[in-house]
């Protein structure tokens, strides 16, 4: 009987010890669900610091990364829309509570090292950034792939790299490596020289069109710069009116004019070469199909023609 009581007492110590450790664990050791539950409780209590950022900076002012927020728009005290003009640090990182008093209370952390889910992190940003530019975020590829705002944006900086023309492409190509490779091919848009950016065509926060384009369609996007290809024309070329990327790779290609294939291989995906009147020489590379510009030797107006005799896109 005594042995049985000793066993029960030992089990009670184990159970009590586990409960005590769970209650007094440092917040770094909490898993994602426990962390989110603790933060939800802190928000419900709403125990904000009366001193705002001064309380936070007592410990964090030694970090240059933290102090850089005062160089950017989020740390601008004179801007009523800035977090620093309201709840300051706690506007994004949550109520201070007993975080600075050894209470082991968590704060909202952003970035790849955060245990919080991507959606939880993003809801903080979307509390302010909820205008028309973000209206399609929830069905965007970035959101569906669990990309956090902090994965691309840097708040604690004088200038957000994503908002700077000379650095936005570097941010995008960190993930979009295939497009980065295309950008450096012999024929491409001037993106590798930062004369054109990814966001000139795409909306990273999503849109109502395919590929998160800024315009209603791929052709409308291309026509923004290539207005001379818009038409209308008397004689149309079907692939041109349907979709520019039928023939072109907008991110770059090893072929001239960013073509997906060289002529005549590109043309012969739709047009058979059998019995063509111009094929007077049968040896490969010595006829109208292989010499010079290949099919374009004769059919030079491939984007359409307004000439009365331009039905074959030759004039």
């Amino acid at each position: 009987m005594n042995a049985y009581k000793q066993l029960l007492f030992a089990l009670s110590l184990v159970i009590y010890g586990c409960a005590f450790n769970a209650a007094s664990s440092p917040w770094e050791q909490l898993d994602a669900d426990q962390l989110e539950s603790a933060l939800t409780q802190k928000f419900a209590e709403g125990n904000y610091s009366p001193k705002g950022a001064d309380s936070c900076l007592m410990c964090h002012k030694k970090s240059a990364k933290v102090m850089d927020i005062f160089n950017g728009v989020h740390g601008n005290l004179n801007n009523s829309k800035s977090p620093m003009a309201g709840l300051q640090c706690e506007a994004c990182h949550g109520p201070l509570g007993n975080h600075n008093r050894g209470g082991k209370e968590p704060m909202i952390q952003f970035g790849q090292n955060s245990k919080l889910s991507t959606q939880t992190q993003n809801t903080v940003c979307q509390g302010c950034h909820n205008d028309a530019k973000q209206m399609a975020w929830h069905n965007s590829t970035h959101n569906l792939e669990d990309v956090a705002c902090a994965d691309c944006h840097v708040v604690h900086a004088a200038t957000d790299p994503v908002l700077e023309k000379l650095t936005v492409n570097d941010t995008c190509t960190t993930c979009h490596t295939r497009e980065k490779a295309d950008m450096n091919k012999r024929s491409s848009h001037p993106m590798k020289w930062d004369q054109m950016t990814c966001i000139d065509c795409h909306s990273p926060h999503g849109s109502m069109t395919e590929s998160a384009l800024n315009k209603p369609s791929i052709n409308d996007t291309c026509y923004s710069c290539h207005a001379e290809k818009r038409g209308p024309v008397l004689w149309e070329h079907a692939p041109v009116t349907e979709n520019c990327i039928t023939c072109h790779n907008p991110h770059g290609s090893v072929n001239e004019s960013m073509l997906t294939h060289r002529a005549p291989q590109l043309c012969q995906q739709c047009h058979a070469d059998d019995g063509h009147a111009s094929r007077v020489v049968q040896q490969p590379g010595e006829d109208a199909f292989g010499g010079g510009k290949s099919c374009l030797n004769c059919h030079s107006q491939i984007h359409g023609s307004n000439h009365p005799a331009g039905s074959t896109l030759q004039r």
Side-chain angles (χ1 to χ4, degrees):
M1 187 66 178
N2 290 336
Y4 179 73
K5 288 182 178 180
Q6 289 177 355
L7 178 61
L8 289 178
F9 179 73
L11 288 173
S12 65
L13 287 177
V14 171
I15 295 173
Y16 178 77
C18 290
F20 177 80
N21 290 334
S24 61
S25 297
W27 59 271
E28 292 87 351
Q29 297 180 4
L30 299 177
D31 60 31
D33 293 335
Q34 292 173 330
L35 180 60
E36 190 163 345
S37 177
L39 289 170
T40 301
Q41 182 178 351
K42 286 189 67 176
F43 271 99
E45 295 172 354
N47 187 9
Y48 291 91
S49 170
K51 296 182 179 180
D54 289 339
S55 298
C56 305
L57 296 179
M58 288 292 293
C59 298
H60 296 286
K61 65 180 179 181
K62 296 180 181 179
S63 172
K65 183 177 180 180
V66 171
M67 299 303 292
D68 278 344
I69 193 171
F70 294 102
N71 297 324
V73 294
H74 288 82
N76 188 353
L77 292 169
N78 298 322
N79 188 343
S80 61
K81 296 182 180 180
S82 168
M84 201 56 64
L87 293 173
Q88 301 187 343
C89 304
E90 295 167 279
C92 299
H93 294 282
L96 181 66
N98 293 320
H99 175 75
N100 64 334
R101 299 179 182 176
K104 306 298 182 182
E105 291 187 4
M107 303 294 289
I108 298 175
Q109 186 178 5
F110 300 91
Q112 297 179 350
N113 295 326
S114 176
K115 292 183 180 180
L116 293 174
S117 66
T118 299
Q119 290 187 347
T120 301
Q121 295 181 53
N122 289 348
T123 53
V124 178
C125 305
Q126 291 167 345
C128 295
H129 298 280
N130 55 3
D131 56 13
K133 293 181 180 179
Q134 285 80 35
M135 64 179 298
W137 168 255
H138 294 288
N139 66 342
S140 69
T141 302
H142 282 160
N143 181 48
L144 297 177
E145 294 291 340
D146 285 336
V147 176
C149 302
D151 291 340
C152 301
H153 292 278
V154 178
V155 174
H156 287 258
T159 303
D160 189 346
V162 181
L163 303 180
E164 177 61 38
K165 184 175 181 179
L166 297 178
T167 54
V168 60
N169 288 347
D170 293 334
T171 303
C172 297
T173 54
T174 300
C175 296
H176 299 281
T177 53
R178 177 178 296 180
E179 286 70 21
K180 182 177 182 178
D182 289 339
M183 286 165 48
N184 288 279
K185 291 179 179 177
R186 62 185 293 264
S187 177
S188 65
H189 282 115
M191 299 179 68
K192 56 187 172 184
W193 297 290
D194 296 316
Q195 296 176 3
M196 182 177 175
T197 67
C198 303
I199 59 176
D200 289 339
C201 299
H202 299 281
S203 172
H205 301 112
S207 71
M208 298 301 180
T209 59
E210 56 183 321
S211 302
L213 293 172
N214 294 327
K215 300 293 183 180
S217 68
I218 291 176
N219 281 18
D220 287 332
T221 303
C222 300
Y223 294 153
S224 298
C225 297
H226 304 281
E228 74 281 3
K229 304 296 190 296
R230 184 192 302 271
V233 293
L234 180 61
W235 303 103
E236 293 181 339
H237 192 191
V240 175
T241 59
E242 291 173 359
N243 197 328
C244 298
I245 65 172
T246 302
C247 299
H248 299 279
N249 182 344
H251 297 109
S253 171
V254 296
N255 304 308
E256 288 291 337
S257 302
M258 294 184 289
L259 293 174
T260 56
H261 299 82
R262 293 179 61 187
Q265 286 81 6
L266 176 62
C267 306
Q268 290 172 357
Q269 290 181 357
C270 298
H271 302 282
D273 66 338
D274 296 338
H276 196 283
S278 298
R279 192 159 191 167
V280 295
V281 182
Q282 298 301 320
Q283 287 78 12
E286 297 182 6
D287 56 18
F289 286 91
K293 294 185 177 181
S294 187
C295 304
L296 277 68
N297 288 329
C298 301
H299 305 282
S300 58
Q301 305 301 314
I302 55 174
H303 291 100
S305 174
N306 277 318
H307 194 279
S311 59
T312 55
L313 306 181
Q314 290 179 294
R315 301 181 182 181

